[in-house]
Amino acid sequence: MKRTFLILSLLLGLLFGIIPAVHGQDTLLNFDDVEFSDGQDTTVEESLEVPDDVVFTDGQDTTTEGSAVNTDREDEVNDAAPRTLWGIFIAGIIGGFAAFLMPCIYPMVPLTVSFFTKQSGTRVKGIINALLYGLFIIVIYVALGMLVTLVFGASALNEAASSAWFNLLFFAIIILFAISFLGAFEITLPSRFVNKMDEKSNRGGLLGLFFMAFTLALVSFSCTGPIIGYLLVEAVSKGALMGPAMGMLGFSVALAIPFMLFAFFPSWLKEMPKSGGWLNTVKVSLGFLELALAFKFLSNVDLAYHWGILDREVFLAIWIVIFALFGFYLLGKLKFSHDSSVGFISIPRLFLAIMVLSFTVYMVPGMWGAPLKALSAWLPPSPTQDFNLHQVGYTSGDPQQSTGIVKKYGDVFHAPHGIDAFYDYDQALEYSRQVNKPVLLDFTGWSCVNCRKMEESVWPDPQVLKRLKEDYILVSLYVDDRTTLEPSEQYVSEFSGKKINTVGRKWSDLQASRFGTNAQPYYVIVDGQGKQLVPAQAYKEDIPHYIKFLDSGLAAFKANTPN
């Protein structure tokens, strides 16, 4: 019962814990000079040039007005990086506990604890040795995280966060790790190197304890390697300088604590579930999860380059198949080469299978356009759906006022919920002057997870949607799009000094130079002349608050517009 509870806690933590931890990620695709990553925000003033490592993030509001800086917004900026690092740290803890339940580590606990209790001489010395052993585990893995940072450097980490090629590489690496967990092969280190470290662990003293911890890291690499790899990929993809070290700190703390606790309280060993086939079940289960999560990296690239490979229904189809197979595996209907025979299905395992299969069934209506709000941050935008029955409810009603107007970039972008949006700033302002309506600037991105959450959680509300359709001219400006501007439209930014040659660079330059912020989503209400009417709005899943924001903008527009 205890072991199945551990499995249940582990899988639920990975499925519902890691996903929110990475939601701070924003635009991932390379602008060459301006990179987009997670958890960093940089308030800029009109007199400043944008540095090469300026980072664009998700949902942080850094509005400035003239030369005055809003103190509250500065506080938000200062808190952004710590929040990102904490998310990486928590993901590392989850990964560390998952690694502890792997077949390469779990069976080693009694042997390791026996060394501390029997060979240390006294209980006090055994506890001290256990503490040192745990500390050395932490030092080794944190050193690995620091090494990643030192080798690549801050600029390379930002490039990794924003580069299409890096995202494709991350996708391939995680797929490789998932296949390893599923049992196709094991990722191991050279045996000669492992044996040398094991010999040095017999020296005794501090050096012996260090090499004992190092040997654990090497011997268990076939199990921990894919988890460590995924954590490092996630940390690097967010562009946070200390992200890899924080991820490894969380991982090593979670891995070291059980060894230390069992050394402190050896009697707990009697309560440990015996090693067996269930350990491989944990390993394979993690393989299914990594396989599903890998496709988010491919989706980021697909969206920004408009390949059209992973439309929303294709992405969902892949996830539905993966989690259906996962559920059948838990029921014993699908077996791999390293799996033990299952005579019967335990009740906790049955309940876990029910949860996985229920999640699978939950995704099925999304194939026909259901919003799936719980997954909106991970799925491609709903306009990429080729067949959308759910959209019918939003598009019915009065015809859109701008019907007949050829929208610039209208063949590239599509607004959700049947909203009659524009995708070019100047064209939207021109149309605003014609119909005498305010303009809602929507600074968004293909890879912006919080943008998708706003579009699927706030915009569908009847009161919000009514205002967006009837009272405003919506213009969605994708800051990470790779569509090349016409040669006549390309220019060198007076604000940053960078060459602007793509649609995404154009709108990111507009956002930074005009509104002093680099956050997405970011909503600004302006009149037909481009004058900002009310304070801007960043990411906040609060429908009444968003309605109040829209109403205040409309009231300000009417007050400033002569009858």
Side-chain angles (χ1 to χ4, degrees):
M1 183 67 179
K2 291 182 179 179
R3 108 183 147 200
T4 49
F5 177 77
L6 285 172
I7 299 176
L8 178 61
S9 301
L10 165 66
L11 294 177
L12 289 178
L14 284 173
L15 189 57
F16 299 108
I18 290 180
I19 290 177
V22 298
H23 273 180
Q25 175 180 324
D26 194 9
T27 49
L28 295 177
L29 296 166
N30 188 22
F31 286 179
D32 297 333
D33 295 314
V34 180
E35 287 109 4
F36 291 73
S37 72
D38 189 69
Q40 307 272 342
D41 204 343
T42 313
T43 303
V44 293
E45 299 179 24
E46 294 185 0
S47 59
L48 296 179
E49 291 187 355
V50 177
D52 290 339
D53 60 346
V54 65
V55 179
F56 285 66
T57 69
D58 215 2
Q60 300 299 326
D61 189 351
T62 56
T63 305
T64 60
E65 187 171 346
S67 60
V69 179
N70 189 310
T71 304
D72 294 336
R73 294 295 183 256
E74 282 189 331
D75 292 339
E76 290 183 16
V77 174
N78 294 334
D79 291 341
R83 282 200 298 270
T84 300
L85 293 177
W86 273 113
I88 296 173
F89 178 75
I90 293 172
I93 288 179
I94 296 173
F97 281 123
F100 177 75
L101 295 178
M102 288 290 164
C104 305
I105 295 180
Y106 189 85
M108 297 175 65
V109 174
L111 295 175
T112 306
V113 172
S114 176
F115 170 82
F116 293 133
T117 56
K118 294 181 179 179
Q119 299 187 25
S120 297
T122 64
R123 174 175 171 79
V124 174
K125 187 176 180 181
I127 291 176
I128 292 175
N129 286 339
L131 285 172
L132 291 172
Y133 179 74
L135 178 62
F136 286 139
I137 290 176
I138 295 172
V139 169
I140 290 168
Y141 282 106
V142 171
L144 174 62
M146 293 298 296
L147 181 63
V148 171
T149 300
L150 292 174
V151 169
F152 290 98
S155 59
L157 288 178
N158 283 334
E159 182 181 354
S162 58
S163 169
W165 294 110
F166 268 108
N167 276 274
L168 287 175
L169 179 62
F170 293 162
F171 168 73
I173 290 174
I174 296 175
I175 288 290
L176 185 70
F177 288 156
I179 294 173
S180 173
F181 268 169
L182 292 175
F185 54 83
E186 288 191 351
I187 303 174
T188 59
L189 297 174
S191 58
R192 180 182 300 179
F193 180 59
V194 175
N195 292 335
K196 282 186 177 181
M197 295 302 104
D198 187 38
E199 291 176 2
K200 292 182 179 181
S201 67
N202 296 323
R203 292 183 176 183
L206 289 177
L207 193 61
L209 285 173
F210 173 81
F211 282 109
M212 186 177 175
F214 198 24
T215 302
L216 172 70
L218 298 178
V219 171
S220 63
F221 186 78
S222 62
C223 292
T224 61
I227 298 177
I228 293 171
Y230 182 80
L231 287 172
L232 290 176
V233 165
E234 275 296 325
V236 169
S237 70
K238 296 181 181 182
L241 180 61
M242 295 302 298
M246 286 298 292
M248 290 299 94
L249 176 62
F251 177 87
S252 58
V253 167
L255 185 62
I257 285 177
F259 282 97
M260 292 189 292
L261 288 178
F262 282 114
F264 295 164
F265 308 101
S267 60
W268 288 7
L269 291 173
K270 299 178 182 178
E271 303 297 326
M272 281 184 65
K274 293 183 179 180
S275 302
W278 67 274
L279 292 173
N280 191 66
T281 300
V282 174
K283 184 177 178 180
V284 172
S285 298
L286 289 174
F288 278 112
L289 291 175
E290 284 206 343
L291 185 62
L293 295 175
F295 283 93
K296 178 59 179 172
F297 291 97
L298 181 60
S299 176
N300 290 338
V301 183
D302 177 71
L303 288 169
Y305 280 85
H306 309 292
W307 292 343
I309 299 173
L310 279 182
D311 289 345
R312 188 174 185 268
E313 65 269 28
V314 176
F315 189 96
L316 277 170
I318 294 172
W319 270 35
I320 288 170
V321 171
I322 290 174
F323 282 96
L325 292 174
F326 186 12
F328 291 144
Y329 173 79
L330 292 173
L331 291 174
K333 303 300 181 183
L334 179 67
K335 291 185 179 180
F336 295 97
S337 58
H338 299 290
D339 286 324
S340 303
S341 298
V342 180
F344 63 92
I345 301 297
S346 64
I347 297 301
R349 182 165 175 166
L350 174 64
F351 273 90
L352 182 58
I354 290 173
M355 294 178 64
V356 172
L357 291 174
S358 297
F359 178 68
T360 305
V361 174
Y362 168 77
M363 291 188 288
V364 171
M367 296 291 293
W368 291 272
L372 304 181
K373 294 182 179 180
L375 294 175
S376 60
W378 280 82
L379 299 178
S382 58
T384 65
Q385 187 105 14
D386 293 328
F387 182 66
N388 195 335
L389 290 177
H390 187 74
Q391 191 76 7
V392 175
Y394 292 120
T395 56
S396 60
D398 297 334
Q400 299 299 310
Q401 293 186 16
S402 66
T403 301
I405 296 179
V406 179
K407 305 286 184 63
K408 194 172 184 178
Y409 309 121
D411 58 332
V412 176
F413 308 106
H414 304 281
H417 315 309
I419 300 174
D420 186 33
F422 286 78
Y423 309 101
D424 180 77
Y425 177 74
D426 294 324
Q427 189 180 32
L429 292 186
E430 181 181 353
Y431 186 70
S432 168
R433 293 191 292 269
Q434 294 176 13
V435 298
N436 196 33
K437 287 185 178 181
V439 177
L440 176 62
L441 304 182
D442 167 32
F443 289 99
T444 183
W446 289 114
S447 305
C448 172
V449 295
N450 284 343
C451 301
R452 302 291 85 77
K453 292 172 72 176
M454 290 292 290
E455 292 168 3
E456 298 300 331
S457 299
V458 177
W459 285 13
D461 179 79
Q463 295 300 315
V464 173
L465 196 58
K466 181 176 183 295
R467 287 163 171 78
L468 292 178
K469 285 188 172 185
E470 298 178 3
D471 299 331
Y472 280 92
I473 307 300
L474 175 67
V475 53
S476 293
L477 306 175
Y478 285 76
V479 300
D480 61 351
D481 190 75
R482 299 288 296 183
T483 302
T484 303
L485 292 171
E486 294 293 332
S488 60
E489 296 181 359
Q490 298 181 14
Y491 64 97
V492 176
S493 170
E494 296 180 358
F495 178 73
S496 64
K498 310 299 181 183
K499 184 175 181 179
I500 307 300
N501 56 8
T502 66
V503 171
R505 289 184 184 181
K506 181 177 180 179
W507 304 140
S508 63
D509 180 66
L510 172 68
Q511 185 183 13
S513 61
R514 283 287 311 280
F515 305 107
T517 183
N518 51 23
Q520 294 86 44
Y522 195 72
Y523 307 104
V524 186
I525 298 175
V526 300
D527 60 17
Q529 305 302 321
K531 178 183 177 182
Q532 184 172 346
L533 300 176
V534 293
Q537 171 71 47
Y539 168 70
K540 189 173 185 179
E541 279 189 83
D542 186 334
I543 292 175
H545 179 81
Y546 200 76
I547 291 175
K548 183 178 179 181
F549 164 67
L550 295 176
D551 288 344
S552 66
L554 184 61
F557 177 80
K558 291 180 178 179
N560 294 325
T561 302
N563 295 326

